[in-house]
Amino acid sequence: MSEEKSLNFIEEIIEEDLRTGKHDGRVLTRFPPEPNGYLHIGHAKSICLNFGLAKKYNGKTNLRFDDTNPITEEAEYVESIKKDVQWLGFQWAEELYTSDYFETLYEYAVKLIKKGLAYVDKSNSEEIAISKGTPTQPGIAAPDRDRSIEDNLRLFQEMREGKYKDGEMVLRAKIDLADPNMHMRDPLLYRIKHAVHHRTGDTWCIYPMYDFGHGQSDSIEKITHSLCTLEFVPHRPVYDWLIEKLEIFPSRQYEFARLNLTYTVMSKRRLLELVREKHVDGWDDPRMPTISGLRRRGFTPASIREFCDRIGVAKRENLISMSLLEFCIREDLNKTAWRRMAVLDPIKLIITNYPEGKTEELSGENNPEAEDGEGSRIIPFSKELWIERNDFMEDAPKKFFRLTPGKSVRLKHAYIVECHDFKKDEEGKVTEVHCTYIPNSKSGEDTSGMRVKGTIHWVSAGHAEKAEVRLYDRLFAEEDPMASENFKDSLNPNSLQIIENAYIESDLAKAEMDKNYQFMRLGYFTLDEKISRKNHLVFNRTVTLRDSWAKEVKKGKKK
Ligand code: ATP
Ligand code: MG
């Protein structure tokens, strides 16, 4: 890397392993999603970490679907996960499934039974919970704990054959019922579940538990560094115990803090609730913290990678501000988005001294931040324009540098105009603003010598196209929705504003999917990939040009 950056704690571990020649200098990580929902920005942190480390140390990353729960998992989720990881800019070495290892895992379980290290327990889940004891009191052995190896082998075989009902018995490791770590008190390894699995169909009716499926899959793949979030710290002794007793490849688990973001929730279960109860329009609703939602909203892969880089990896939980994510996308789009003009709340501006029927073809750079401007587009100009309603005021305060009778502004890429009159309807609403233009004040060839304080955007009324524009606010009104009794109580009722008839400059009719535009003075926008049609364009606002929330919070308007 060109700039010196201190190593995070996982990089330190890897560099130490490389120095001591552990795993022959090999680095193999994995990203192990359970296909029970769409990926969210928290997963992006794990993806950037796993793939980023592999890239840095010339290693590889597997994509492994942790598909051990047939009830909640679906092929649709598998497809969306693959799409999202690739969109973020990463390519896995191998696409693997825990379900591919079901036979091997079964053999591992048999091996444990044969070693006297696992037993079939006929207690029900309540009995198991009680017999586990409490952190201060040791557990009590179930009557089945001392059953013979032969009987355990037979029962386990029969579990597999489907002789028993769901919940009738489980397979448990025989570790230590007095261990201060509750996870070590004979953890469950297998349960019975008569359900159709999205890949193995009805081949199996017993499924490995997380503790058994996960670490053993790591080992089968010879993963060198298995990274997971902090809640798995107490599972690590189980992870190590199983690998040791099975005498298989010694993968190691390391834990980092999960990402928590303000004004949103980040668990698939809760996101699914929002989808099912139609608080949002699907997993990819632009207000969702999912990768697909962020994509539809107009976030770029680079901005999400930058965000994950900035938050870093630590061993302590914290809450990251949504403003940081927004900062990252603004930084990126300021450099890359093409500039265009659109008017969201239109009011007519008539240039009384401009010839009727005349059209001028003005031009505007696509991207003033780029050295070559990335070319330019033609902007038609004529006698009748649309401008933003709030760019005109009848009785303006002194510091209002936009249009008001007697004052002048520059029309972006065009001329200086001076307001001399306006029209109102019966209700007193302004319907037209009348101006004169200064013919020798054209942008780029201005010889008028006039100086004006304000520049406003506009579109030519006879040339503009109509479009739908969607403005978003935060999905939740509270910084930490989980602090409410029910997280849905803090949903923000004004998180979506639909503007059905906005006017966009004619060039935007050719707007491309996956491209970002800055609508001057209004924010960054992108075409909605799901609901836009050729003759009904829908633009989503990705983010405003400035952080309006920081200001509102200061004013005490928003909490
Ligand atoms: P959720 O609670 O949202 O369902 P999960 O941890 O159950 O999350 P998995 O599909 O099991 O979701 O996670 C795949 C990987 O992503 C795991 O290694 C997990 O630790 C990691 N991960 C999930 N959420 C976050 C987060 N908020 N921050 C960082 N990593 C995360
Ligand atoms: Mg999970």
Side-chain angles (χ1 to χ4, degrees):
M1 287 207 300
S2 54
E3 61 184 276
E4 277 301 315
K5 220 175 150 189
S6 61
L7 299 180
N8 66 45
F9 78 99
I10 297 172
E11 290 169 330
E12 278 174 5
I13 291 165
I14 293 180
E15 297 207 355
E16 177 63 17
D17 288 347
L18 293 175
R19 252 194 307 279
T20 59
K22 200 170 166 185
H23 309 305
D24 309 319
R26 204 170 51 87
V27 173
L28 180 61
T29 59
R30 88 287 172 265
F31 174 61
E34 185 182 348
N36 62 349
Y38 281 60
L39 296 182
H40 51 61
I41 180 90
H43 293 112
K45 175 174 177 177
S46 173
I47 292 168
C48 289
L49 181 63
N50 279 295
F51 284 89
L53 288 169
K55 192 167 172 210
K56 182 168 177 185
Y57 296 107
N58 285 317
K60 287 179 178 166
T61 306
N62 287 343
L63 173 61
R64 182 199 318 138
F65 291 98
D66 207 345
D67 57 347
T68 53
N69 185 357
I71 309 284
T72 53
E73 294 158 4
E74 290 171 29
E76 175 201 340
Y77 296 138
V78 169
E79 290 315 309
S80 77
I81 289 169
K82 282 162 49 175
K83 178 174 174 185
D84 289 351
V85 173
Q86 280 174 322
W87 179 77
L88 278 173
F90 299 106
Q91 188 53 55
W92 49 88
E94 290 190 73
E95 177 187 329
L96 302 162
Y97 296 79
T98 300
S99 57
D100 292 338
Y101 312 137
F102 281 170
E103 193 61 49
T104 308
L105 293 172
Y106 181 82
E107 284 162 22
Y108 283 173
V110 168
K111 185 170 171 181
L112 283 179
I113 297 173
K114 284 185 175 163
K115 282 183 141 192
L117 294 173
Y119 61 98
V120 171
D121 189 351
K122 291 185 181 168
S123 316
N124 62 35
S125 58
E126 248 170 89
E127 287 162 349
I128 291 177
I130 293 168
S131 70
K132 272 200 167 190
T134 67
T136 49
Q137 271 195 326
I140 304 155
D144 292 346
R145 200 169 193 260
D146 294 317
R147 184 187 297 108
S148 71
I149 290 174
E150 290 67 40
D151 285 350
N152 277 321
L153 284 172
R154 178 180 47 80
L155 282 170
F156 188 50
Q157 166 81 24
E158 288 174 356
M159 273 171 69
R160 174 185 183 158
E161 286 165 0
K163 276 204 169 170
Y164 306 106
K165 291 197 289 290
D166 288 11
E168 211 173 324
M169 51 187 72
V170 292
L171 184 73
R172 292 175 77 176
K174 194 171 180 176
I175 308 183
D176 182 359
L177 288 169
D179 198 294
N181 178 350
M182 300 290 286
H183 292 276
M184 289 290 273
R185 295 188 184 177
D186 292 7
L188 270 58
L189 304 180
Y190 267 92
R191 63 187 156 168
I192 301 172
K193 205 149 243 187
H194 291 272
V196 177
H197 185 280
H198 71 106
R199 294 188 81 240
T200 57
D202 57 5
T203 308
W204 293 88
C205 62
I206 55 170
Y207 290 93
M209 303 297 291
Y210 175 86
D211 279 325
F212 197 64
H214 201 93
Q216 296 11 277
S217 298
D218 284 345
S219 181
I220 291 168
E221 292 172 22
K222 297 194 165 54
I223 299 296
T224 57
H225 301 83
S226 173
L227 313 176
C228 60
T229 39
L230 286 176
E231 65 271 25
F232 292 101
V233 169
H235 292 259
R236 195 193 327 135
V238 182
Y239 187 102
D240 291 340
W241 186 90
L242 285 166
I243 282 180
E244 187 200 318
K245 300 302 177 197
L246 287 167
E247 301 164 80
I248 53 178
F249 180 83
S251 296
R252 287 291 304 274
Q253 171 183 309
Y254 303 94
E255 310 86 8
F256 63 95
R258 65 192 298 121
L259 168 67
N260 300 303
L261 254 190
T262 56
Y263 299 103
T264 193
V265 293
M266 202 94 83
S267 104
K268 281 179 281 186
R269 191 165 54 82
R270 297 203 178 83
L271 296 175
L272 179 62
E273 223 172 297
L274 296 178
V275 172
R276 289 225 169 113
E277 295 172 17
K278 300 208 181 326
H279 297 288
V280 292
D281 156 41
W283 284 96
D284 60 355
D285 185 297
R287 293 164 293 180
M288 290 279 268
T290 50
I291 306 292
S292 48
L294 291 166
R295 174 169 59 232
R296 200 172 148 198
R297 175 89 169 244
F299 277 72
T300 58
S303 68
I304 296 175
R305 290 195 303 263
E306 172 68 19
F307 171 74
C308 292
D309 201 40
R310 279 174 183 263
I311 57 177
V313 215
K315 284 196 222 182
R316 194 169 302 161
E317 291 278 348
N318 59 356
L319 186 64
I320 302 286
S321 168
M322 183 68 96
S323 298
L324 180 63
L325 181 59
E326 292 173 350
F327 170 83
C328 292
I329 185 65
R330 275 191 197 100
E331 282 257 301
D332 186 16
L333 295 184
N334 178 45
K335 285 188 227 123
T336 56
W338 281 15
R339 272 57 171 175
R340 291 291 182 267
M341 293 195 282
V343 174
L344 304 189
D345 184 11
I347 173 176
K348 193 63 93 46
L349 183 148
I350 297 173
I351 305 173
T352 48
N353 62 340
Y354 196 85
E356 196 88 45
K358 176 177 171 174
T359 300
E360 272 181 89
E361 293 196 332
L362 306 176
S363 105
E365 263 185 349
N366 285 322
N367 182 3
E369 292 291 315
E371 215 150 286
D372 60 356
E374 292 175 7
S376 58
R377 85 283 188 189
I378 286 167
I379 314 169
F381 183 83
S382 65
K383 186 181 180 77
E384 292 198 8
L385 313 175
W386 294 113
I387 62 166
E388 240 27 275
R389 177 167 294 280
N390 65 10
D391 277 338
F392 173 81
M393 257 180 112
E394 185 180 345
D395 292 305
K398 237 182 151 179
K399 291 237 161 121
F400 187 77
F401 297 128
R402 290 168 275 165
L403 278 175
T404 187
K407 283 264 180 77
S408 305
V409 295
R410 172 169 297 283
L411 297 172
K412 183 72 187 175
H413 296 307
Y415 298 92
I416 291 173
V417 291
E418 184 182 344
C419 175
H420 58 83
D421 202 4
F422 60 93
K423 261 195 187 164
K424 280 186 186 173
D425 64 15
E426 288 147 15
E427 280 135 39
K429 202 171 163 192
V430 177
T431 53
E432 278 177 17
V433 177
H434 295 177
C435 293
T436 50
Y437 85 117
I438 317 299
N440 62 349
S441 69
K442 191 165 161 180
S443 283
E445 45 199 80
D446 183 358
T447 56
S448 71
M450 287 177 71
R451 292 180 66 84
V452 290
K453 284 216 166 120
T455 299
I456 65 171
H457 62 273
W458 53 275
V459 294
S460 168
H463 303 88
E465 305 271 350
K466 276 192 178 167
E468 180 177 322
V469 170
R470 296 184 165 210
L471 307 180
Y472 300 99
D473 201 343
R474 295 186 171 164
L475 185 52
F476 291 90
E478 301 290 334
E479 192 170 82
D480 180 8
M482 296 315 294
S484 308
E485 200 167 309
N486 179 340
F487 75 101
K488 287 174 284 182
D489 291 345
S490 57
L491 276 164
N492 175 4
N494 304 313
S495 57
L496 168 63
Q497 185 193 346
I498 298 181
I499 295 167
E500 278 172 18
N501 287 313
Y503 288 106
I504 56 174
E505 67 169 85
S506 51
D507 191 82
L508 270 177
K510 297 184 294 203
E512 290 167 40
M513 290 288 174
D514 287 336
K515 218 171 144 47
N516 301 87
Y517 300 90
Q518 184 194 100
F519 289 4
M520 298 174 92
R521 301 169 69 222
L522 299 174
Y524 295 102
F525 292 78
T526 196
L527 270 183
D528 189 297
E529 62 184 30
K530 196 168 172 181
I531 54 175
S532 272
R533 298 288 171 266
K534 208 170 164 40
N535 48 12
H536 182 85
L537 298 183
V538 181
F539 288 91
N540 290 322
R541 180 154 72 188
T542 312
V543 68
T544 53
L545 294 180
R546 269 173 285 279
D547 186 352
S548 60
W549 272 71
K551 229 171 41 208
E552 298 292 326
V553 169
K554 259 195 211 138
K555 279 196 270 176
K557 273 197 186 166
K558 287 179 180 171
K559 282 190 287 180

